[in-house]
Amino acid sequence: MTSVSASAVVQCSPEQAWALVADVTKMADLSPECVSCTWIDGATGPEVGARFRGRNRRRIGTWTTTCTVTECEPGRVFAFAVGDAEDPQTVWRYSFVPAPDDATMVTETCERRKPEALRAKVGLLALGILDREADLKQGIETTLARLQVAARASTLAG
C-alpha cells in the first residue's frame, strides 16, 4: 500500500467539518475527481457498513466505484473502502482534531494498493496522469481547500 495525505485548518467545529465530509452526496462539491455519490442498498446516511456508489471523472475517463463506510465517529473520523471492504483497492480516511480559535485540523489520507506496473501505466496514460501519487496529493489539497470554503459558508449561514 502507498499512502498520501495532507492537512488543513478549517474554521468550524470538528462536528461541522465531519458533517460536510460524511455527507457523501455532496462530495462532488469538494473533490476535483468525484462527479456524484449516491447511497445504495437502503443506506440513507453515514454509518459503518453503509455503502455508496461514486462516479468519478478525470479528463476523458469516467469510472464508477462502490464504497463501504469503515469508520464513522462524528467529529472524529470518517473513512471508506473502495471495492471489497475486506480487501480494498483504496481506503480514504478523514480525521478531525480540534484546533485553536474554534477551528478543526482536518487530515485526508488515501491509502491504495499499487496496481501491477503495466496495468497502472496503461490506466494512468489513458487518464493523462503521469504520477498518480502526486496527482492524488494535489486532489487532496484541492478537496481540503474547498472544504475550507464550504466550512466558512456553512458557519456564516448557520
Side-chain angles (χ1 to χ4, degrees), residues 63-135:
W63 65 98
T64 302
T65 61
T66 300
C67 306
T68 305
V69 176
T70 56
E71 294 180 79
C72 190
E73 295 178 46
R76 296 195 56 208
V77 65
F78 180 73
F80 58 90
V82 178
D84 181 358
E86 300 301 316
D87 186 26
Q89 179 65 38
T90 306
V91 174
W92 290 92
R93 186 174 197 277
Y94 299 82
S95 65
F96 306 86
V97 177
D101 300 322
D102 298 320
T104 303
M105 176 65 74
V106 180
T107 300
E108 179 179 0
T109 304
C110 174
E111 286 188 357
R112 70 185 199 101
R113 195 171 11 162
K114 279 199 155 216
E116 64 173 70
L118 180 59
R119 183 173 174 235
K121 280 189 183 203
V122 170
L124 295 177
L125 289 174
L127 296 176
I129 301 168
L130 299 177
D131 181 345
R132 184 59 171 158
E133 274 65 34
D135 180 65

Side-chain angles (χ1 to χ4, degrees), residues 5 11 18 24 31 42 53 66 81 94 99-100 102 124-125 133 140 150 154:
S5 68
Q11 293 301 312
W18 182 91
V24 299
S31 169
R53 183 156 297 119
T66 300
Y94 299 82
D102 298 320
L124 295 177
L125 289 174
E133 274 65 34
I140 289 170
S154 71

Side-chain angles (χ1 to χ4, degrees), residues 13-76:
S13 71
E15 292 76 17
Q16 290 168 311
W18 182 91
L20 289 168
V21 170
D23 182 357
V24 299
T25 64
K26 297 199 168 127
M27 185 55 75
D29 296 338
L30 302 176
S31 169
E33 202 166 85
C34 178
V35 174
S36 66
C37 288
T38 308
W39 294 108
I40 60 172
D41 301 333
T44 58
E47 65 179 312
V48 172
R51 291 170 24 106
F52 62 94
R53 183 156 297 119
R55 195 164 65 91
N56 301 299
R57 178 177 43 237
R58 190 53 202 257
R59 295 191 177 131
I60 61 170
T62 62
W63 65 98
T64 302
T65 61
T66 300
C67 306
T68 305
V69 176
T70 56
E71 294 180 79
C72 190
E73 295 178 46
R76 296 195 56 208

